[in-house]
Amino acid sequence: LLQELKCQEDIFLSEEIQWLIRNLGFPHVYASCGEIKGYAGVAILSKIEALLCVKDIGHSSLDKEGRMLLLEFPKLFLFNVY
């Protein structure tokens, strides 16, 4: 689990960063970054592909901050929230 990414999703999910993360042994990367540049953001690096990824809670003013990520796995729900 990563918190306070402070980067935009397009940068965090760029080919260069993805290459580094894959070489650390995590082929699956999920991120939720804030709309404000350099503010907030959470991510989960996983060796297992998630069945479902949810990045918001349905409240527009909170969802744009990139503070929540929910992954569903076969036997586990994993939340990354701050």
Side-chain angles (χ1 to χ4, degrees):
L1 302 176
L2 302 174
Q3 296 186 343
E4 291 283 350
L5 291 178
K6 297 188 182 287
C7 77
Q8 298 303 106
E9 209 162 312
D10 60 334
I11 295 170
F12 188 74
L13 297 177
S14 68
E15 282 300 315
E16 295 85 358
I17 301 296
Q18 292 296 302
W19 181 85
L20 289 171
I21 293 170
R22 279 193 305 271
N23 281 303
L24 290 172
F26 299 99
H28 306 285
V29 179
Y30 305 91
S32 177
C33 299
E35 290 181 5
I36 300 171
K37 201 171 196 174
Y39 179 77
V42 294
I44 298 173
L45 311 180
S46 179
K47 293 183 178 189
I48 302 167
E49 185 174 7
L51 302 172
L52 176 68
C53 175
V54 178
K55 297 181 179 185
D56 57 39
I57 61 172
H59 192 285
S60 61
S61 65
L62 298 174
D63 291 340
K64 65 183 178 182
E65 292 195 13
R67 293 182 179 269
M68 195 280 294
L69 193 58
L70 162 66
L71 297 184
E72 178 185 354
F73 294 98
K75 296 183 180 182
L76 172 76
F77 285 89
L78 180 61
F79 284 90
N80 189 354
V81 181
Y82 83 100

XYZ file of all heavy atoms in Angstrom:
658
model
N 0.844 -1.175 0.000
C 0.000 0.000 0.000
C 0.891 1.240 0.000
O 1.820 1.339 0.783
C -0.888 0.031 1.244
C -1.825 -1.143 1.476
C -2.539 -0.982 2.799
C -2.813 -1.305 0.373
N 0.561 2.165 -0.849
C 1.278 3.438 -0.908
C 0.287 4.559 -0.639
O -0.838 4.529 -1.125
C 1.910 3.646 -2.280
C 2.890 2.583 -2.763
C 3.293 2.869 -4.199
C 4.098 2.530 -1.873
N 0.713 5.550 0.120
C -0.126 6.703 0.401
C 0.667 7.978 0.185
O 1.894 7.969 0.191
C -0.661 6.642 1.832
C -1.568 5.462 2.062
C -2.211 5.479 3.441
O -1.777 6.177 4.339
N -3.266 4.699 3.591
N -0.067 9.076 0.007
C 0.549 10.384 -0.245
C 1.466 10.339 -1.471
O 2.617 10.758 -1.423
C 1.328 10.878 0.980
C 0.459 11.241 2.160
C -0.235 12.584 2.011
O 0.073 13.357 1.093
O -1.120 12.854 2.838
N 0.944 9.803 -2.579
C 1.737 9.715 -3.811
C 2.190 11.083 -4.300
O 3.274 11.232 -4.836
C 0.928 9.046 -4.922
C 0.628 7.563 -4.757
C -0.218 7.077 -5.915
C 1.900 6.764 -4.647
N 1.304 12.053 -4.180
C 1.591 13.422 -4.611
C 2.044 13.506 -6.066
O 2.944 14.258 -6.419
C 2.612 14.088 -3.691
C 2.105 14.224 -2.268
C 3.051 15.050 -1.438
C 2.588 15.155 -0.015
N 1.463 16.013 0.203
N 1.438 12.664 -6.905
C 1.710 12.760 -8.338
C 0.437 12.439 -9.108
O -0.478 11.830 -8.577
C 2.861 11.858 -8.762
S 2.474 10.128 -8.897
N 0.413 12.860 -10.336
C -0.746 12.623 -11.172
C -0.755 11.164 -11.640
O 0.283 10.536 -11.785
C -0.734 13.557 -12.374
C -0.806 15.027 -12.013
C -2.031 15.344 -11.176
O -1.921 15.566 -9.981
N -3.187 15.356 -11.781
N -1.975 10.656 -11.881
C -2.143 9.253 -12.266
C -1.402 8.928 -13.566
O -0.810 7.862 -13.699
C -3.631 8.941 -12.414
C -3.950 7.501 -12.121
C -5.423 7.275 -11.830
O -6.008 8.023 -11.027
O -5.961 6.335 -12.424
N -1.409 9.846 -14.529
C -0.732 9.569 -15.797
C 0.780 9.433 -15.604
O 1.429 8.660 -16.309
C -1.059 10.625 -16.855
C -0.656 12.031 -16.454
O -0.590 12.321 -15.240
O -0.420 12.843 -17.363
N 1.345 10.129 -14.638
C 2.772 9.994 -14.352
C 3.047 8.685 -13.616
O 3.935 7.927 -13.979
C 3.293 11.195 -13.532
C 3.195 12.471 -14.371
C 4.718 10.959 -13.048
C 3.443 13.733 -13.598
N 2.237 8.408 -12.586
C 2.442 7.194 -11.806
C 2.232 5.942 -12.652
O 2.899 4.935 -12.451
C 1.510 7.172 -10.590
C 1.803 6.037 -9.652
C 2.923 6.071 -8.839
C 0.981 4.933 -9.599
C 3.224 5.022 -7.984
C 1.265 3.883 -8.739
C 2.390 3.926 -7.935
N 1.319 5.993 -13.607
C 1.041 4.829 -14.450
C 1.788 4.881 -15.786
O 1.485 4.119 -16.695
C -0.471 4.717 -14.690
C -1.302 4.479 -13.424
C -2.782 4.468 -13.756
C -0.897 3.204 -12.714
N 2.803 5.739 -15.883
C 3.588 5.838 -17.116
C 4.406 4.558 -17.324
O 4.639 3.782 -16.396
C 4.535 7.034 -17.054
O 5.552 6.803 -16.081
N 4.841 4.332 -18.538
C 5.608 3.125 -18.875
C 6.881 3.003 -18.037
O 7.243 1.920 -17.611
C 5.961 3.109 -20.369
C 4.808 2.687 -21.250
C 4.307 1.285 -20.933
O 5.116 0.357 -20.752
O 3.073 1.124 -20.852
N 7.548 4.119 -17.786
C 8.794 4.086 -17.026
C 8.559 3.622 -15.586
O 9.271 2.760 -15.073
C 9.469 5.466 -17.003
C 9.936 5.946 -18.356
C 8.853 6.650 -19.163
O 7.692 6.758 -18.701
O 9.165 7.087 -20.279
N 7.544 4.177 -14.940
C 7.233 3.793 -13.562
C 6.711 2.364 -13.521
O 7.076 1.581 -12.637
C 6.209 4.777 -12.942
C 6.744 6.204 -12.946
C 5.821 4.327 -11.534
C 7.961 6.449 -12.101
N 5.864 1.997 -14.492
C 5.339 0.633 -14.548
C 6.470 -0.383 -14.702
O 6.447 -1.449 -14.092
C 4.350 0.482 -15.711
C 3.070 1.256 -15.513
C 2.292 0.737 -14.333
O 1.933 -0.418 -14.273
N 2.042 1.605 -13.380
N 7.459 -0.049 -15.500
C 8.602 -0.940 -15.699
C 9.331 -1.169 -14.367
O 9.678 -2.286 -14.015
C 9.549 -0.348 -16.741
C 10.730 -1.200 -17.021
C 10.799 -2.244 -17.903
C 12.024 -1.112 -16.407
N 12.054 -2.798 -17.878
C 12.829 -2.122 -16.962
C 12.572 -0.271 -15.449
C 14.146 -2.312 -16.586
C 13.881 -0.470 -15.077
C 14.650 -1.475 -15.642
N 9.556 -0.082 -13.618
C 10.228 -0.197 -12.317
C 9.427 -1.070 -11.351
O 9.979 -1.939 -10.674
C 10.439 1.187 -11.701
C 11.476 2.079 -12.359
C 11.394 3.480 -11.774
C 12.856 1.506 -12.184
N 8.122 -0.835 -11.288
C 7.268 -1.594 -10.368
C 7.218 -3.068 -10.756
O 7.295 -3.947 -9.893
C 5.865 -0.965 -10.314
C 5.940 0.422 -9.662
C 4.891 -1.859 -9.559
C 4.664 1.235 -9.771
N 7.091 -3.364 -12.049
C 7.089 -4.765 -12.503
C 8.396 -5.454 -12.136
O 8.410 -6.622 -11.740
C 6.849 -4.837 -14.011
C 5.396 -4.721 -14.404
C 5.169 -5.106 -15.858
N 5.992 -4.355 -16.781
C 5.666 -3.197 -17.331
N 4.508 -2.632 -17.054
N 6.471 -2.591 -18.177
N 9.500 -4.758 -12.245
C 10.796 -5.343 -11.908
C 10.979 -5.542 -10.406
O 11.881 -6.260 -9.985
C 11.937 -4.512 -12.499
C 12.111 -4.811 -13.968
O 12.326 -5.950 -14.347
N 11.975 -3.805 -14.799
N 10.141 -4.930 -9.602
C 10.123 -5.189 -8.163
C 9.251 -6.392 -7.834
O 9.178 -6.808 -6.689
C 9.611 -3.954 -7.404
C 10.536 -2.750 -7.394
C 9.820 -1.550 -6.776
C 11.814 -3.060 -6.622
N 8.579 -6.954 -8.846
C 7.769 -8.153 -8.660
C 6.281 -7.904 -8.506
O 5.553 -8.775 -8.023
N 5.797 -6.722 -8.906
C 4.375 -6.397 -8.790
C 3.803 -6.098 -10.175
O 3.848 -4.957 -10.632
C 4.171 -5.194 -7.869
C 4.658 -5.432 -6.470
C 5.894 -4.952 -6.065
C 3.898 -6.154 -5.579
C 6.352 -5.179 -4.776
C 4.343 -6.390 -4.286
C 5.581 -5.909 -3.893
N 3.230 -7.099 -10.839
C 2.722 -6.879 -12.194
C 1.418 -6.079 -12.261
O 1.045 -5.598 -13.322
C 2.516 -8.288 -12.720
C 2.316 -9.134 -11.513
C 3.138 -8.487 -10.431
N 0.724 -5.920 -11.132
C -0.562 -5.221 -11.138
C -0.486 -3.978 -10.251
O -0.139 -4.074 -9.078
C -1.673 -6.149 -10.655
C -1.711 -7.431 -11.430
N -2.207 -7.515 -12.709
C -1.266 -8.672 -11.114
C -2.088 -8.756 -13.144
N -1.511 -9.475 -12.187
N -0.819 -2.839 -10.841
C -0.742 -1.556 -10.135
C -2.084 -0.858 -10.249
O -2.641 -0.729 -11.336
C 0.357 -0.654 -10.740
C 0.420 0.678 -10.022
C 1.691 -1.352 -10.709
N -2.591 -0.419 -9.102
C -3.854 0.298 -9.047
C -3.597 1.611 -8.325
O -2.961 1.627 -7.281
C -4.903 -0.533 -8.292
C -5.074 -1.911 -8.889
C -4.324 -2.981 -8.432
C -5.977 -2.121 -9.927
C -4.462 -4.247 -8.989
C -6.118 -3.386 -10.498
C -5.363 -4.446 -10.017
O -5.501 -5.688 -10.581
N -4.087 2.718 -8.886
C -3.821 4.024 -8.287
C -5.043 4.920 -8.378
O -5.830 4.836 -9.317
C -2.638 4.693 -8.986
N -5.166 5.774 -7.386
C -6.176 6.822 -7.378
C -5.474 8.099 -6.929
O -5.016 8.191 -5.796
C -7.311 6.464 -6.407
O -8.253 7.512 -6.344
N -5.349 9.036 -7.841
C -4.615 10.260 -7.551
C -5.560 11.452 -7.552
O -6.558 11.468 -8.267
C -3.514 10.478 -8.585
S -2.306 9.139 -8.601
N -5.224 12.442 -6.782
C -6.042 13.639 -6.687
C -5.984 14.470 -7.958
O -5.037 14.376 -8.740
N -7.014 15.297 -8.132
C -7.056 16.185 -9.297
C -6.071 17.337 -9.161
O -5.588 17.863 -10.147
C -8.463 16.743 -9.487
C -9.459 15.713 -9.954
C -10.854 16.297 -10.154
O -11.028 17.525 -10.026
O -11.768 15.519 -10.433
N -5.767 17.720 -7.928
C -4.830 18.820 -7.704
C -3.410 18.275 -7.821
O -3.039 17.321 -7.141
C -5.050 19.449 -6.314
C -6.471 20.003 -6.208
C -4.022 20.542 -6.052
C -6.849 20.448 -4.817
N -2.623 18.880 -8.677
C -1.262 18.427 -8.934
C -0.422 18.458 -7.650
O -0.412 19.447 -6.919
C -0.630 19.312 -9.990
C 0.532 18.710 -10.705
C 0.951 19.573 -11.864
C 1.837 18.806 -12.786
N 2.163 19.548 -13.980
N 0.253 17.322 -7.358
C 1.116 17.245 -6.193
C 0.374 17.108 -4.876
O 0.905 17.433 -3.819
N -0.861 16.601 -4.926
C -1.690 16.524 -3.723
C -2.308 15.138 -3.600
O -2.893 14.632 -4.553
C -2.796 17.577 -3.819
C -3.753 17.606 -2.651
C -3.387 18.186 -1.445
C -5.031 17.060 -2.758
C -4.266 18.233 -0.377
C -5.917 17.104 -1.694
C -5.526 17.686 -0.510
O -6.386 17.732 0.541
N -2.155 14.513 -2.440
C -2.816 13.247 -2.085
C -2.423 12.106 -3.032
O -1.382 12.136 -3.667
C -4.320 13.426 -2.012
N -3.260 11.077 -3.058
C -3.054 9.918 -3.922
C -2.705 8.664 -3.142
O -1.928 8.705 -2.193
N -3.327 7.548 -3.538
C -3.050 6.243 -2.943
C -2.844 5.225 -4.060
O -3.330 5.408 -5.172
C -4.189 5.771 -2.001
C -4.299 6.666 -0.786
C -5.523 5.696 -2.721
N -2.132 4.151 -3.746
C -1.910 3.092 -4.732
C -1.749 1.753 -4.015
O -1.403 1.701 -2.837
C -0.664 3.382 -5.570
N -2.012 0.695 -4.758
C -1.788 -0.663 -4.284
C -1.004 -1.391 -5.370
O -1.398 -1.386 -6.531
C -3.114 -1.397 -3.999
C -3.894 -0.684 -2.895
C -2.850 -2.852 -3.626
C -5.297 -1.245 -2.648
N 0.109 -1.978 -4.978
C 0.905 -2.816 -5.871
C 0.592 -4.257 -5.508
O 0.615 -4.616 -4.336
C 2.394 -2.547 -5.673
C 2.848 -1.084 -5.672
C 4.351 -1.011 -5.465
C 2.430 -0.374 -6.922
N 0.310 -5.093 -6.505
C -0.136 -6.450 -6.208
C 0.485 -7.474 -7.150
O 0.718 -7.202 -8.319
C -1.665 -6.524 -6.317
O -2.132 -7.825 -6.069
N 0.721 -8.647 -6.602
C 1.179 -9.774 -7.415
C 0.000 -10.527 -8.011
O 0.168 -11.334 -8.902
C 2.036 -10.703 -6.563
C 3.331 -10.046 -6.140
C 4.209 -10.980 -5.357
C 5.508 -10.260 -5.006
N 6.496 -11.139 -4.435
N -1.202 -10.246 -7.495
C -2.423 -10.910 -7.944
C -3.342 -9.867 -8.571
O -3.531 -8.782 -8.018
C -3.140 -11.584 -6.754
C -2.221 -12.593 -6.086
C -4.437 -12.239 -7.197
C -2.717 -13.059 -4.738
N -3.962 -10.200 -9.696
C -4.888 -9.272 -10.341
C -6.197 -9.200 -9.552
O -6.760 -10.224 -9.166
C -5.174 -9.714 -11.774
C -6.015 -8.737 -12.536
C -6.166 -9.114 -13.996
O -5.724 -10.196 -14.395
O -6.742 -8.298 -14.732
N -6.671 -7.996 -9.332
C -7.923 -7.794 -8.599
C -9.119 -8.097 -9.494
O -9.078 -7.891 -10.704
C -8.007 -6.362 -8.096
N -10.190 -8.571 -8.865
C -11.442 -8.804 -9.588
C -12.166 -7.494 -9.855
O -12.875 -7.348 -10.855
C -12.362 -9.729 -8.774
C -11.807 -11.102 -8.409
C -12.748 -11.822 -7.454
C -11.578 -11.928 -9.663
N -11.987 -6.528 -8.938
C -12.679 -5.248 -9.027
C -11.809 -4.160 -8.408
O -11.146 -4.398 -7.401
C -14.015 -5.323 -8.267
C -14.845 -4.048 -8.159
C -15.398 -3.648 -9.522
C -15.981 -4.247 -7.169
N -11.834 -2.983 -9.011
C -11.120 -1.821 -8.475
C -12.093 -0.649 -8.414
O -12.694 -0.285 -9.423
C -9.932 -1.475 -9.372
S -9.071 0.026 -8.871
N -12.258 -0.077 -7.223
C -13.151 1.072 -7.023
C -12.316 2.236 -6.506
O -11.579 2.087 -5.530
C -14.272 0.736 -6.015
C -15.166 1.946 -5.781
C -15.085 -0.454 -6.492
N -12.441 3.390 -7.159
C -11.624 4.552 -6.806
C -12.408 5.669 -6.125
O -11.828 6.664 -5.733
C -10.958 5.124 -8.062
C -10.006 4.170 -8.721
C -9.368 4.807 -9.926
C -8.395 3.851 -10.574
N -7.678 4.478 -11.682
N -13.701 5.523 -6.006
C -14.470 6.598 -5.390
C -15.589 6.053 -4.512
O -15.907 4.879 -4.562
C -15.018 7.558 -6.454
C -15.880 6.845 -7.487
O -16.656 5.941 -7.118
O -15.788 7.206 -8.667
N -16.157 6.949 -3.717
C -17.241 6.561 -2.812
C -18.575 7.162 -3.223
O -19.574 6.980 -2.546
C -16.906 6.946 -1.350
C -16.723 8.450 -1.216
C -15.707 6.196 -0.856
C -16.586 8.923 0.219
N -18.588 7.924 -4.309
C -19.822 8.508 -4.803
C -20.123 9.893 -4.263
O -21.225 10.397 -4.391
N -19.121 10.550 -3.677
C -19.278 11.915 -3.165
C -18.284 12.783 -3.925
O -17.088 12.723 -3.675
C -19.010 11.945 -1.659
C -19.415 13.214 -1.002
N -18.690 14.371 -1.122
C -20.486 13.501 -0.234
C -19.278 15.332 -0.438
N -20.373 14.830 0.111
N -18.776 13.593 -4.840
C -17.909 14.290 -5.803
C -16.789 15.107 -5.172
O -15.661 15.101 -5.668
C -18.737 15.164 -6.735
O -19.426 16.144 -5.999
N -17.049 15.809 -4.091
C -15.992 16.642 -3.505
C -14.896 15.801 -2.859
O -13.740 16.220 -2.789
C -16.573 17.627 -2.490
O -17.112 16.938 -1.379
N -15.225 14.608 -2.392
C -14.216 13.728 -1.797
C -13.524 12.863 -2.849
O -12.334 12.580 -2.741
C -14.852 12.834 -0.728
C -15.456 13.547 0.469
C -16.167 12.557 1.371
C -14.397 14.308 1.239
N -14.267 12.434 -3.855
C -13.722 11.529 -4.864
C -12.572 12.147 -5.655
O -11.658 11.448 -6.081
C -14.823 11.074 -5.827
C -15.835 10.166 -5.157
O -15.504 9.593 -4.100
O -16.947 10.033 -5.690
N -12.586 13.449 -5.841
C -11.536 14.093 -6.633
C -10.216 14.241 -5.880
O -9.237 14.685 -6.438
C -12.015 15.447 -7.152
C -12.291 16.467 -6.090
C -12.828 17.729 -6.704
C -13.166 18.743 -5.638
N -13.738 19.943 -6.230
N -10.184 13.845 -4.610
C -8.960 13.983 -3.816
C -8.036 12.774 -3.897
O -6.897 12.836 -3.456
C -9.314 14.284 -2.358
C -9.931 15.645 -2.198
C -9.945 16.107 -0.770
O -9.265 15.498 0.067
O -10.646 17.099 -0.495
N -8.493 11.636 -4.418
C -7.633 10.470 -4.552
C -7.205 9.880 -3.221
O -6.048 9.557 -3.015
N -8.147 9.732 -2.309
C -7.830 9.255 -0.960
C -8.368 7.858 -0.665
O -8.244 7.368 0.445
C -8.372 10.222 0.082
C -7.673 11.562 0.052
C -8.207 12.466 1.131
N -7.542 13.737 1.144
C -6.462 14.009 1.868
N -5.914 13.092 2.619
N -5.925 15.206 1.835
N -8.973 7.176 -1.651
C -9.553 5.871 -1.393
C -9.365 4.957 -2.588
O -9.486 5.378 -3.738
C -11.054 6.018 -1.108
C -11.720 4.806 -0.477
S -12.184 3.431 -1.541
C -13.450 4.109 -2.563
N -9.047 3.720 -2.285
C -8.914 2.685 -3.302
C -9.373 1.373 -2.674
O -8.932 1.017 -1.576
C -7.447 2.593 -3.746
C -7.097 1.809 -4.985
C -7.829 2.329 -6.214
C -5.599 1.873 -5.230
N -10.275 0.684 -3.353
C -10.785 -0.604 -2.883
C -10.521 -1.639 -3.954
O -10.864 -1.431 -5.120
C -12.293 -0.520 -2.610
C -13.060 -1.836 -2.529
C -12.624 -2.650 -1.320
C -14.551 -1.601 -2.508
N -9.890 -2.737 -3.564
C -9.682 -3.855 -4.478
C -10.402 -5.076 -3.935
O -10.353 -5.349 -2.735
C -8.194 -4.186 -4.629
C -7.291 -3.117 -5.222
C -5.886 -3.662 -5.380
C -7.815 -2.607 -6.545
N -11.057 -5.810 -4.836
C -11.685 -7.071 -4.459
C -10.864 -8.211 -5.042
O -10.571 -8.238 -6.239
C -13.114 -7.155 -4.989
C -13.780 -8.474 -4.658
C -15.155 -8.630 -5.270
O -15.678 -7.668 -5.871
O -15.706 -9.740 -5.160
N -10.500 -9.135 -4.173
C -9.812 -10.368 -4.561
C -10.726 -11.536 -4.220
O -11.717 -11.359 -3.512
C -8.480 -10.479 -3.806
C -7.482 -9.422 -4.185
C -7.338 -8.281 -3.401
C -6.705 -9.543 -5.311
C -6.426 -7.293 -3.742
C -5.789 -8.560 -5.674
C -5.654 -7.433 -4.891
N -10.441 -12.752 -4.691
C -11.343 -13.877 -4.436
C -11.720 -14.079 -2.960
O -12.859 -14.395 -2.658
C -10.583 -15.082 -4.980
C -9.744 -14.512 -6.078
C -9.340 -13.143 -5.578
N -10.802 -13.877 -2.035
C -11.097 -14.116 -0.623
C -10.820 -12.901 0.257
O -10.686 -13.030 1.468
C -10.265 -15.299 -0.105
C -10.608 -16.611 -0.772
C -9.807 -17.740 -0.176
C -10.164 -19.046 -0.865
N -9.449 -20.169 -0.282
N -10.735 -11.712 -0.347
C -10.305 -10.549 0.421
C -10.761 -9.254 -0.242
O -10.743 -9.130 -1.468
C -8.769 -10.555 0.500
C -8.068 -9.356 1.095
C -8.213 -9.380 2.606
C -6.609 -9.353 0.706
N -11.167 -8.290 0.583
C -11.370 -6.918 0.136
C -10.260 -6.096 0.775
O -10.054 -6.160 1.988
C -12.729 -6.375 0.595
C -13.880 -6.917 -0.196
C -14.499 -8.089 0.194
C -14.331 -6.264 -1.326
C -15.556 -8.595 -0.528
C -15.385 -6.758 -2.052
C -16.014 -7.933 -1.657
N -9.548 -5.329 -0.021
C -8.427 -4.539 0.472
C -8.716 -3.055 0.242
O -8.926 -2.619 -0.887
C -7.135 -4.943 -0.233
C -5.860 -4.216 0.165
C -5.552 -4.423 1.643
C -4.702 -4.700 -0.688
N -8.764 -2.282 1.345
C -8.992 -0.843 1.285
C -7.679 -0.109 1.556
O -6.942 -0.479 2.461
C -9.978 -0.395 2.378
C -11.402 -0.726 2.097
C -11.944 -1.922 2.515
C -12.202 0.185 1.432
C -13.273 -2.225 2.281
C -13.534 -0.113 1.191
C -14.065 -1.311 1.611
N -7.423 0.919 0.784
C -6.333 1.849 1.060
C -6.987 3.224 1.171
O -7.431 3.788 0.186
C -5.295 1.826 -0.056
C -4.051 2.605 0.292
O -3.978 3.260 1.327
N -3.065 2.551 -0.582
N -7.096 3.704 2.414
C -7.815 4.955 2.683
C -6.991 5.809 3.641
O -6.390 5.298 4.565
C -9.178 4.648 3.358
C -9.934 5.939 3.623
C -10.006 3.708 2.518
N -6.992 7.111 3.380
C -6.451 8.032 4.384
C -7.162 9.348 4.293
O -7.796 9.677 3.327
C -4.931 8.186 4.255
C -4.484 9.168 3.216
C -4.108 10.435 3.596
C -4.440 8.835 1.872
C -3.691 11.356 2.645
C -4.027 9.735 0.932
C -3.650 10.985 1.315
O -3.252 11.893 0.380
